[in-house]
Amino acid sequence: LERSAFLDDTVHPRISEPGSFCIVDRRYRQIVLCSDHSANLQALDVVGRSAQMERYLAGEEGSSVMTLADGTESLSSARAVAGMPWLVIGLLPVTEAFSPVTALQYRMVRATFVLTLIACLLTWWMLRKHLSPLLDAAARLSQISVAQALPPPLPVERNDEVGELFSAFNRMLEQVGEHDRALKESEERFRLGFENANVGMCLVDLQGRLTRVNRQMCVMFGYSREEMESMGVNDIAH
């Protein structure tokens, strides 16, 4: 009787400590033998307490999550013993059964967070690398309206869309420079002709104020340039 027999091999724990194996007699609804020896020869729970246990006792085999009498959920597997009205049931708490899945989920979440962080850093670096020339171009464009001289041409170091944009920007700078030089030359010619004319010449705004007079105009009326540029047309003519 002390030898290892079929029953001992059947209920020998092959899983972690929280799990257990039991041999159940269907007819008498009684635990014949259990790896948890405190349950040996104990009656099963009352009818209807566990619907899954009732299905096992009715002949169903397989695995399912079952709620025990103490309210805990366990992963259960049942298999009938051939030739006998007995049932072998294995129980393992859900937290223990799914702990590898939980650990895997944790590792996946952690890996996803790390990969997302790396992706964000790479995206930031790529955007900074590709957008920094554009930001430089925008800064130089903003200098055109406030600076006295045109900014220097942008260095074209790439053959992509950014390089084409820089080339167009440099061509625009050349055209603006040409227009600026032509305007200055035109203003200089006007100044020389205006100041050196042998007749009195003046510029008058829409309100009739003298905004600019030449030397001969001052000689004709006998006022200084400052005095005449503070007058209006009605001050010197009927």
Side-chain angles (χ1 to χ4, degrees):
L1 292 177
E2 293 178 351
R3 294 183 189 178
S4 177
F6 161 73
L7 297 180
D8 296 323
D9 293 338
T10 302
V11 299
H12 183 72
R14 299 180 178 86
I15 51 180
S16 59
E17 183 66 26
S20 62
F21 278 100
C22 296
I23 299 177
V24 176
D25 191 317
R26 293 178 179 174
R27 297 172 301 177
Y28 301 108
R29 307 176 64 84
Q30 188 177 33
I31 299 175
V32 178
L33 193 63
C34 186
S35 56
D36 180 10
H37 299 300
S38 61
N40 289 346
L41 301 179
Q42 296 292 324
L44 289 176
D45 213 355
V46 295
V47 178
R49 179 65 64 86
S50 173
Q52 185 59 44
M53 179 61 75
E54 294 300 322
R55 288 193 290 270
Y56 287 154
L57 295 176
E60 180 181 318
E61 294 183 344
S63 300
S64 178
V65 175
M66 183 171 63
T67 302
L68 302 182
D70 57 2
T72 60
E73 290 187 336
S74 293
L75 181 63
S76 63
S77 294
R79 187 67 180 269
V81 178
M84 299 185 69
W86 285 357
L87 189 68
V88 178
I89 300 177
L91 298 173
L92 185 63
V94 169
T95 54
E96 182 72 17
F98 298 131
S99 59
V101 178
T102 304
L104 179 61
Q105 288 178 337
Y106 173 75
R107 289 194 296 268
M108 291 179 63
V109 170
R110 184 171 57 183
T112 302
F113 173 77
V114 173
L115 292 176
T116 302
L117 180 61
I118 294 175
C120 291
L121 292 176
L122 289 176
T123 303
W124 174 82
W125 177 78
M126 292 181 64
L127 289 176
R128 183 179 178 87
K129 179 180 178 181
H130 289 280
L131 293 181
S132 57
L134 297 178
L135 295 176
D136 187 22
R140 296 197 183 191
L141 282 173
S142 63
Q143 292 175 1
I144 294 179
S145 59
V146 296
Q148 297 296 329
L150 293 176
L154 293 173
V156 181
E157 301 176 351
R158 301 161 59 172
N159 296 323
D160 55 3
E161 293 82 357
V162 177
E164 295 179 0
L165 176 63
F166 286 2
S167 298
F169 176 76
N170 293 337
R171 290 192 297 270
M172 184 194 69
L173 285 181
E174 293 178 1
Q175 294 176 358
V176 172
E178 293 176 358
H179 290 308
D180 187 58
R181 288 190 295 270
L183 179 61
K184 289 180 179 179
E185 292 175 358
S186 176
E187 289 180 347
E188 182 63 19
R189 288 194 297 268
F190 169 78
R191 188 188 67 80
L192 291 175
F194 183 84
E195 292 295 335
N196 298 321
N198 291 324
V199 296
M201 298 181 65
C202 65
L203 299 181
V204 183
D205 63 12
L206 296 178
Q207 285 73 36
R209 293 188 296 265
L210 302 177
T211 59
R212 187 171 180 177
V213 296
N214 66 350
R215 180 181 55 83
Q216 187 64 25
M217 189 80 168
C218 295
V219 172
M220 289 174 59
F221 287 90
Y223 294 105
S224 66
R225 188 186 302 270
E226 291 76 13
E227 289 175 333
M228 292 205 68
E229 290 181 352
S230 63
M231 297 179 178
V233 175
N234 294 330
D235 295 327
I236 61 174
H238 296 289

